[in-house]
Amino acid sequence: SIGSKPSASKTNSMESESSIDSPDSIPQQTNPKILTTTSIAEPCSICGGIGWVTLAGADDPSDAHFGKMFPCECFMAVFLKERPAKLWRQAGIPARFQTFTLESSPVKAISSRLIGAPKDSSWFLWGERGVGKTGLATSYARHFIDAGYGAVQFYMLPQMLATLKDTYNRKREEDDHLPTEAELITFWSKVPLLVLDDMGAEQVSGSGWVEDRLYQIIGQRQADLKPILVTSNHSPTDLGRRIGDRILWRIIEMAGKGNVIEVQGPNLRA
């Protein structure tokens, strides 16, 4: 599955992401032998419980609908109902934060802003350890999915960089099913929302290829107007020293000054 971290097979972890990015992308069936049934309590009066229907012209070789079957209304109902739960499972949210929501967040002032934000909003949340940054980030990820905005991928930055570095240590024959470096970069550049937690935990500035790859991902997301949410224990000034000013200013430009927020408050881990 897609959001499973890229240790899953290349086919499951990379390609299926685009297939669930929006309901419109449900594939058409062209072979009746591979029809799938839906999990509906009683057979549908339209499709008889098969989940797929033919449209007018399906038996006419000159028609665009010839030989094709399309999702029935009942299939779409099940798909839309089950989709948020599937995307949430694939988002990579740590177990500790699985139940967090914006509505229950103790950081009320910021969570209320996140609830009302446009779906293309980017955010940079920084502050001391334990003030609730990761909780806000994972809660926003749930909000993004539940609102129907699309898939999310959550990564702690050291984890993301380790995943990239791992692509250089593979044996081609044994690991051919795993995504390549280029595929990972494309995947993280295109997912509807990317959440990068703990930015600055690892020194990136001056690291060569690591800095370049991170810049590629963030720069491509900025060019494509795809949102990002970044958390850090470092102030913008300090973070610039650790990740490089060109990456930092891409993030700040995406968020806008209004969404660069210092999270303050008591240590919630105490």
Side-chain angles (χ1 to χ4, degrees), residues 18-36:
S18 60
S19 70
I20 63 171
D21 190 39
S22 72
D24 297 333
S25 60
I26 294 182
Q28 303 163 1
Q29 292 280 19
T30 57
N31 184 346
K33 292 182 180 179
I34 58 173
L35 293 179
T36 55

Side-chain angles (χ1 to χ4, degrees), residues 67-230:
K68 296 179 180 179
M69 302 192 76
F70 297 83
C72 179
E73 292 178 9
C74 66
F75 182 100
M76 290 301 297
V78 172
F79 176 85
L80 292 174
K81 180 180 179 180
E82 295 179 349
R83 183 171 182 258
K86 184 176 183 179
L87 292 181
W88 181 249
R89 290 194 301 272
Q90 296 171 333
I93 305 298
R96 177 184 176 189
F97 300 98
Q98 286 285 321
T99 61
F100 282 43
T101 66
L102 290 176
E103 290 77 10
S104 63
S105 171
V107 192
K108 297 297 183 185
I110 299 175
S111 62
S112 62
R113 288 192 57 191
L114 292 169
I115 289 173
K119 69 177 183 180
D120 59 351
S121 300
S122 290
W123 303 85
F124 174 32
L125 308 179
W126 65 278
E128 296 292 330
R129 291 176 176 82
V131 294
K133 301 182 300 297
T134 302
L136 286 166
T138 54
S139 297
Y140 185 68
R142 177 176 288 280
H143 171 75
F144 191 92
I145 290 172
D146 288 348
Y149 296 156
V152 175
Q153 281 288 282
F154 174 97
Y155 272 88
M156 290 183 289
L157 186 61
Q159 176 192 22
M160 170 182 272
L161 298 180
T163 301
L164 274 179
K165 291 176 183 177
D166 187 56
T167 64
Y168 290 91
N169 301 319
R170 297 175 182 165
K171 296 179 180 179
R172 181 179 297 275
E173 298 79 9
E174 297 177 7
D175 298 326
D176 187 58
H177 65 290
L178 297 174
T180 64
E181 178 195 38
E183 288 170 331
L184 286 172
I185 290 173
T186 298
F187 175 59
W188 293 328
S189 298
K190 293 185 178 298
V191 67
L193 175 65
L194 179 64
V195 178
L196 294 181
D197 189 44
D198 208 9
M199 181 82 79
E202 183 165 329
Q203 181 76 30
V204 171
S205 180
S207 60
W209 74 268
V210 175
E211 183 177 2
D212 179 70
R213 300 313 187 267
L214 185 57
Y215 182 78
Q216 279 185 253
I217 295 166
I218 294 175
Q220 190 61 55
R221 294 191 69 83
Q222 182 188 36
D224 293 341
L225 302 178
K226 290 187 176 293
I228 189 170
L229 190 156
V230 172

